[in-house]
Amino acid sequence: MTTLSACSGAIFSLNQTMASINQNRYPNLLPDFRNLGVMLRILLVATAMTLAAAVIQASSWNILMDQWFGISALVQPIVILSLVVLGLVTGWLHRLDYKVAVVLVILIELVIASAVVSFTSSLFESATADVVRAMLFTAVATAVMLGYFNLRSRALSPAITEARLQALQARIRPHFLFNSINAVLSLVRSQPRRAETALEDMADLFRVLMADNRDLVPLQNEIELCRQYLSLEQLRLGERLQLDWHVDNMPGEALVPPLVLQPLLENAVYHGIEPSIEPGVVSINIYHVRNEVHMVLRNPYRKEGSHHSGNKMALGNIRERLHLHFDAEASLKASVGDNSYEVHITLPYVKERT
């Protein structure tokens, strides 16, 4: 009865999460102004806008560069000072309502622009202190950048939606589900306690897969989920699946995107262990160096009859989510050795997400 109750609870939980998948809307979010990728994008957009302004104002190609340098000499100090100020207050801004935060960002930019233009005018008598025009340009440029980051976030967010909607097909394949159920059924009478634990692991695994996975989670939670998944795989594969954990230097409190490791481990089992009757080792090495977290997964690789092309969907999905959360500060690299396939994820060591 206990086992049946656990199974019923798992099914009920899955039905609830499936019913709520399409009800979630992605909120408007400000960019993290402390992120290196965000800083570079702002600098590039600001440079492009100053060039466009120079092209509009220049009467000939001969004076275009002089016009561009003159505008950049005023705009670049505003941009740099803005990055410093917004980086200091980004945590506070993220706690505010999006519309209020946008208005405050624009006001901050106007104050900075006004101060820079006034200071420049006091230093150079020949400078034309058109404060109104500078503030208008600043307001437009700020609105364009905020709109760009909002659109970029919404463009990447469907990757998370797709991950939830296709969880059963892309992350937990039907063969894994059916084989796990069969393995549990074989234990119901002989080892009811173990069967109950396996069902609870399945319920936890599917609950996370079908949940709203937009927010970052502690790395320790992701590792616990992976252990539950691998214990289910060991239930049916037995000694063929051997695990080599190296997590002594793992920062458990580091924040990572949900399901950043489990799909890779599933691919490791599916492509590296199942095709062979010989035992194979899946290695999980997680550590941190200074301000970076490294996650290295390795599994056996066989060229004959290999179908590692199936990894591309999981790798592409994870890359998109890494870029969504950490922009240029995170990376994912896959490499093939003589007898092994390795995936190396690098992301910033973040303990608290604003």
Side-chain angles (χ1 to χ4, degrees):
M1 290 297 292
T2 306
T3 303
L4 292 176
S5 299
C7 187
S8 300
I11 295 174
F12 178 74
S13 176
L14 289 177
N15 288 336
Q16 282 188 317
T17 52
M18 283 290 289
S20 62
I21 281 178
N22 292 318
Q23 296 178 1
N24 297 312
R25 298 181 61 188
Y26 289 93
N28 296 311
L29 296 174
L30 285 178
D32 182 359
F33 294 105
R34 295 169 298 190
N35 184 280
L36 177 61
V38 171
M39 294 180 184
L40 292 175
R41 293 175 195 278
I42 290 176
L43 288 172
L44 288 174
V45 173
T47 302
M49 294 187 71
T50 56
L51 178 59
V55 170
I56 294 174
Q57 296 182 22
S59 57
S60 66
W61 291 105
N62 296 330
I63 64 172
L64 175 60
M65 294 304 296
D66 291 337
Q67 193 76 27
W68 186 24
F69 289 149
I71 297 175
S72 298
L74 180 63
V75 172
Q76 292 301 328
I78 297 176
V79 174
I80 294 174
L81 186 58
S82 298
L83 289 176
V84 173
V85 174
L86 292 177
L88 293 174
V89 300
T90 188
W92 173 66
L93 289 173
H94 277 80
R95 289 191 290 269
L96 301 176
D97 179 75
Y98 177 75
K99 293 181 180 180
V100 175
V102 168
V103 172
L104 288 176
V105 170
I106 294 177
L107 290 177
I108 291 173
E109 292 300 302
L110 292 178
V111 172
I112 293 175
S114 177
V116 170
V117 171
S118 299
F119 179 75
T120 303
S121 300
S122 65
L123 288 180
F124 305 100
E125 295 180 358
S126 59
T128 57
D130 191 348
V131 179
V132 175
R133 185 170 60 181
M135 294 180 69
L136 179 61
F137 179 84
T138 300
V140 172
T142 303
V144 168
M145 289 184 182
L146 292 177
Y148 159 74
F149 282 113
N150 189 31
L151 289 175
R152 180 176 181 273
S153 176
R154 289 177 174 274
L156 291 176
S157 292
I160 304 177
T161 303
E162 181 183 359
R164 299 204 313 276
L165 293 175
Q166 297 182 353
L168 290 177
Q169 293 84 6
R171 294 246 171 92
I172 296 295
R173 297 180 177 87
H175 87 281
F176 161 72
L177 174 61
F178 298 142
N179 289 338
S180 296
I181 291 176
N182 289 332
V184 170
L185 289 175
S186 67
L187 297 174
V188 168
R189 292 186 178 181
S190 60
Q191 301 181 53
R193 180 64 65 181
R194 188 179 180 188
E196 180 182 349
T197 301
L199 281 176
E200 290 174 349
D201 288 342
M202 288 180 61
D204 291 339
L205 183 62
F206 277 90
R207 188 178 296 112
V208 174
L209 287 168
M210 307 306 294
D212 185 356
N213 294 313
R214 279 175 276 177
D215 298 329
L216 300 176
V217 299
L219 178 56
Q220 183 62 43
N221 293 6
E222 180 72 8
I223 294 302
E224 291 175 0
L225 181 73
C226 291
R227 289 186 185 275
Q228 290 176 312
Y229 166 75
L230 291 172
S231 68
L232 289 170
E233 291 287 29
Q234 283 185 318
L235 192 64
R236 65 185 186 88
L237 295 174
E239 295 182 356
R240 288 171 56 194
L241 174 57
Q242 299 180 6
L243 303 174
D244 187 16
W245 290 92
H246 298 278
V247 293
D248 293 338
N249 194 28
M250 179 190 75
E253 73 282 2
L255 296 179
V256 301
L259 304 174
V260 72
L261 291 178
Q262 187 276 329
L264 299 178
L265 287 173
E266 184 182 354
N267 280 340
V269 172
Y270 181 68
H271 299 293
I273 305 300
E274 287 191 2
S276 174
I277 60 175
E278 299 295 328
V281 178
V282 175
S283 173
I284 305 101
N285 185 14
I286 304 175
Y287 59 94
H288 77 278
V289 178
R290 294 184 294 276
N291 294 323
E292 290 184 338
V293 177
H294 295 263
M295 297 180 281
V296 183
L297 305 182
R298 188 180 295 109
N299 61 269
Y301 178 83
R302 299 170 181 84
K303 294 183 180 179
E304 297 79 9
S306 174
H307 45 279
H308 275 265
S309 59
N311 286 344
K312 293 181 180 179
M313 180 170 59
L315 293 178
N317 185 280
I318 293 172
R319 278 197 182 96
E320 288 181 346
R321 292 192 290 125
L322 288 174
H323 290 163
L324 174 64
H325 289 289
F326 301 113
D327 208 296
E329 294 183 339
S331 65
L332 185 153
K333 298 179 181 178
S335 60
V336 178
D338 293 335
N339 299 303
S340 65
Y341 185 88
E342 180 180 291
V343 178
H344 189 161
I345 296 176
T346 305
L347 63 162
Y349 186 3
V350 178
K351 296 181 181 180
E352 180 181 357
R353 197 62 163 173
T354 54

